[in-house]
Amino acid sequence: MTTAVVDLDAVRHNIRLLRRAAAGARVMAVVKANGFGHGSVEVAGAALAAGASWLGVTSLAEAIELRTAGIRAPILAWLHTPDDVLETALVSDLDLSVSAVRTLESLARAAGRLGRPAAVHLKADTGLSRGGATAGDWPHLLTVAAKLRAAGLITVRGVWSHLANAEDPDDPGLPRQLIAFGHARAEAAAAGLAGHLVHLANSAAVLQLPQARFDLVRPGIAVYGVEPVPGRSFGLRPAMTLESTVILTKRVGPGTGVSYGPDHVVARETTLALVPAGYADGVPRRVAGRAEVAVHGRRVPVVGRIAMDQIVLDVGDLPVRAGDRVVLFGPGDRGEPTVAEWAGWAETNPHEILTGIGPRVRRSYRGRCAGNAISTRSPSRPDECAAMTPS
Ligand SMILES: *Cc1c(COP(=O)(O)O)cnc(C)c1O
């Protein structure tokens, strides 16, 4: 059936490449949304083995899944409500992003109840207008943070922000964000909040904006081997191959309608091949009439409407039979489409294709870290596969 084969050696290669690009800054592997669809625990294990020292996720639930798997590396979670069960974060030794005084106060109460300080990363909004405190709200957030730190209720582990368009180094919004971030850092220092990690860079910024690297970088899509800057290649290796199996073939004549509608009518005698992957598995309906897959090392078109559970290929006169392997996308080095091509056909980004791969698709792991990812042993060699921070 349909399987996402994840090459954990590719993840390790990408992390090593990102570490070199980070030039001394630490690497936080962003494994939100189930590791961009690849499996967060497995990717985290491989990333830590290759020298990443932090993990980044959105929700507390995602962070706790990593802890439950035995991962002890520092984890930052950045989306939670002020009323989330913040005790859980403290007990699980999670770092939380804080953009508002209300969250700080709620964390301080949790810290008081538990008798241990909450580790926070104060987030400045430098122009993205999502998370983070605006320049107007930042001084008050710092004042309250300094007070709670003095009371032993929080530790300020980081000061951070996020870029709106690091993919385009000529975007005039970029220098504006860098200047705003400079002000936010200076104000944090003036408030007496020194000694924390400063972080700003996502994948594109790690690879092409040295001025955005600071102490820690937060690559996401590049960890999975997708090139983040349009038109540039940094040597990343795609980690996922999405493959399936032909379950039925049939010879049909001209005029035969294919799939619902039918939106597609066969022009000449041909072989149709049925593949059990549909939009519930992450094949977007929008790719109808555009998408191709590889079978027998050749590209063939997906024809007709994409159904919930299946697609139909027009394989012409290729001797395709039930049981044959079909590659929807992969690294691209055997002629198969890449996830970037699928993103083009679906008029979206590769992130949406990868995170849209459904729960019915089995994840299978290859490479030296496969099967080891949830080990809690301390690695005895720096590159040993274990979900621990390398010493
Ligand atoms: C998703 C995310 C990242 C990773 O971004 P990429 O562009 O995939 O590298 C980094 N930081 C934050 C805050 C994010 O939400």
Side-chain angles (χ1 to χ4, degrees):
M1 295 296 266
T2 304
T3 304
V5 180
V6 177
D7 177 5
L8 294 175
D9 288 346
V11 170
R12 292 192 303 132
H13 164 85
N14 298 332
I15 291 287
R16 286 194 294 261
L17 189 150
L18 289 161
R19 281 178 66 200
R20 280 196 298 278
R26 285 179 242 184
V27 173
M28 172 189 289
V30 176
V31 296
K32 62 190 180 186
N34 193 29
F36 286 49
H38 294 64
S40 61
V41 171
E42 290 80 0
V43 170
L48 294 170
S53 47
W54 279 77
L55 299 170
V57 293
T58 52
S59 69
L60 288 178
E62 290 175 324
I64 286 161
E65 186 185 348
L66 298 171
R67 283 281 181 264
T68 304
I71 292 173
R72 307 214 191 113
I75 301 174
L76 174 64
W78 53 74
L79 284 182
H80 35 83
T81 73
D83 306 319
D84 267 334
V85 189
L86 299 176
E87 273 92 346
T88 321
L90 272 67
V91 170
S92 302
D93 201 14
L94 305 176
D95 286 37
L96 294 185
S97 172
V98 171
S99 304
V101 167
R102 185 164 160 211
T103 311
L104 267 187
E105 288 170 341
S106 165
L107 267 175
R109 280 193 299 276
R113 282 193 294 270
L114 289 170
R116 59 191 285 180
V120 306
H121 293 230
L122 300 173
K123 186 170 191 186
D125 179 1
T126 55
L128 187 60
S129 300
R130 297 194 323 195
T134 62
D137 293 337
W138 184 245
H140 183 47
L141 185 68
L142 295 174
T143 306
V144 175
K147 206 178 71 198
L148 295 174
R149 191 176 76 154
L153 293 169
I154 66 166
T155 54
V156 177
R157 200 76 70 80
V159 166
W160 74 301
S161 188
H162 193 40
L163 293 170
N165 192 19
E167 293 71 28
D168 178 5
D170 300 323
D171 188 325
L174 186 66
R176 281 203 294 272
Q177 280 200 274
L178 287 167
I179 289 167
F181 194 48
H183 289 152
R185 281 167 19 240
E187 286 177 294
L193 298 170
H196 46 254
L197 293 168
V198 172
H199 52 107
L200 179 65
N202 66 348
S203 296
V206 186
L207 293 166
Q208 67 172 0
L209 303 174
Q211 68 274 38
R213 281 175 201 146
F214 302 103
D215 304 320
L216 176 69
V217 296
R218 304 187 310 271
I221 194 73
V223 171
Y224 308 94
V226 178
E227 295 287 350
V229 180
R232 283 193 72 180
S233 172
F234 294 92
L236 297 163
R237 201 185 294 164
M240 187 190 288
T241 299
L242 185 64
E243 58 181 46
S244 191
T245 309
V246 172
I247 58 174
L248 182 72
T249 61
K250 59 188 64 173
R251 198 72 187 160
V252 298
T256 305
V258 181
S259 190
Y260 293 123
D263 292 351
H264 179 82
V265 177
V266 169
R268 66 184 70 82
E269 186 180 321
T270 192
T271 300
L272 300 177
L274 183 64
V275 176
Y279 59 78
D281 305 296
V283 179
R285 294 182 83 237
R286 197 175 253 280
V287 304
R290 304 174 188 166
E292 296 174 342
V293 303
V295 57
H296 290 205
R298 298 268 296 273
R299 289 218 187 182
V300 298
V302 176
V303 289
R305 217 176 279 178
I306 310 294
M308 185 186 292
D309 315 301
Q310 40 197 310
I311 52 175
V312 178
L313 314 178
D314 183 338
V315 302
D317 298 324
L318 289 176
V320 173
R321 300 200 334 209
D324 289 355
R325 178 172 178 259
V326 174
V327 179
L328 285 84
F329 63 77
D333 39 40
R334 299 216 172 99
E336 74 278 13
T338 60
V339 70
E341 281 180 271
W342 275 84
W345 294 326
E347 296 170 43
T348 184
N349 61 3
H351 315 51
E352 190 178 6
I353 301 290
L354 292 170
T355 56
I357 293 171
R360 192 163 61 182
V361 175
R362 192 172 71 92
R363 270 70 170 173
S364 158
Y365 295 93
R366 301 276 185 280
R368 211 157 62 77
C369 289
N372 284 317
I374 59 166
S375 164
T376 58
R377 282 176 309 118
S378 189
S380 52
R381 286 180 293 121
D383 204 28
E384 191 173 344
C385 300
M388 295 283 293
T389 312
S391 45

